[in-house]
Amino acid sequence: DYTGIREYGDNILLFSQAESGTSLTLVSKKTAAVLQTVDLGCTLDPDSGDLQTGSNRLAYYDRNSRLLVFLDSTLRQTGQVELPEDIQGSLVMSRDLNRIYYCIPNEIRMLDLQSGISRLLKQHGVTAQSLISLCFEESLLVCTADYDDGTEKTLYISTTNGATIYTEDGHRCFTACKNAYFAPRTDGSVQEFLFGLRGEATQNLT
């Protein structure tokens, strides 16, 4: 059974799960013919930040081997990069697959894959953290964080200088497309849905 689907250039990428891990099946949009099937050897959630697809290549993070693996438009492996062993939570990738944002204890870092340089973006005292998304033309990084006193927060961080632009209590889901965003949250027993455009007042549906 297929567990996920993504557009991939002129084709469609189907995800399925087996005992050995996730399999990718490349299917032609025009003919529905199966072009290629690859067993990744690791389990991959198609909706997580551990996978990013570009127009003619993709990258996925194998947490068992700590390798970031690159495949071309035919699902042939073209390269791999080893990431630190102490990565916390999910990572996120830029759309062009040239920059990787990831967390290690008390730090958020950005790896430039063209230069091979890992740059410290933010340093702060947390017990755990995970990156959720990269949005608004990749200018904003959304991160959930846990603290020693038991509190949980969602941080909205500038990718330019690492400054925290906004903080919310609790772990929030945050989805953005271009300049529009959507963020469901719970206020007591009331479910709220926040949405709006970048730079404009947030609207609320309850």
Side-chain angles (χ1 to χ4, degrees):
D1 293 338
Y2 292 111
T3 58
I5 183 171
R6 281 201 184 190
E7 282 193 305
Y8 189 37
D10 295 329
N11 301 306
I12 293 173
L13 202 57
L14 300 177
F15 296 75
S16 58
Q17 300 296 334
E19 289 186 5
S20 59
T22 299
S23 291
L24 300 181
T25 301
L26 190 65
V27 178
S28 169
K29 284 183 182 179
K30 294 181 180 179
T31 66
V34 174
L35 305 176
Q36 182 66 278
T37 298
V38 174
D39 185 358
L40 301 184
C42 66
T43 300
L44 188 66
D45 181 351
D47 296 321
S48 77
D50 288 351
L51 171 75
Q52 180 64 275
T53 54
S55 59
N56 58 5
R57 66 172 183 156
L58 67 81
Y60 69 90
Y61 179 46
D62 182 344
R63 290 183 173 271
N64 295 326
S65 64
R66 297 186 289 110
L67 291 175
L68 185 66
V69 182
F70 295 87
L71 306 181
D72 66 10
S73 59
T74 66
L75 302 186
R76 180 177 63 89
Q77 184 173 323
T78 58
Q80 59 187 31
V81 176
E82 186 174 0
L83 296 181
E85 63 181 10
D86 52 353
I87 283 183
Q88 292 182 328
S90 296
L91 50 80
V92 296
M93 310 179 206
S94 63
R95 291 290 298 172
D96 61 10
L97 303 180
N98 287 331
R99 294 176 305 284
I100 310 299
Y101 296 86
Y102 63 91
C103 300
I104 60 175
N106 297 315
E107 293 183 4
I108 300 174
R109 304 191 70 89
M110 187 277 288
L111 173 63
D112 185 319
L113 292 173
Q114 292 183 315
S115 66
I117 296 174
S118 176
R119 175 173 67 89
L120 176 64
L121 182 65
K122 187 176 187 65
Q123 190 167 35
H124 56 170
V126 295
T127 57
Q129 56 185 334
S130 182
L131 300 180
I132 304 301
S133 61
L134 186 62
C135 51
F136 295 151
E137 299 177 344
E138 302 183 352
S139 66
L140 190 71
L141 195 61
V142 183
C143 174
T144 58
D146 299 343
Y147 296 86
D148 287 334
D149 61 1
T151 59
E152 300 176 344
K153 294 185 181 296
T154 301
L155 311 178
Y156 300 85
I157 299 165
S158 167
T159 57
T160 301
N161 56 20
T164 300
I165 297 172
Y166 185 69
T167 302
E168 280 192 289
D169 292 333
H171 290 176
R172 307 298 186 195
C173 295
F174 187 88
T175 303
C177 181
K178 296 183 179 179
N179 284 327
Y181 62 88
F182 172 77
R185 72 176 185 181
T186 301
D187 185 5
S189 60
V190 179
Q191 181 71 42
E192 299 180 326
F193 299 91
L194 308 179
F195 66 96
L197 298 175
R198 183 183 183 186
E200 298 184 5
T202 299
Q203 300 184 62
N204 190 351
L205 291 176
T206 58

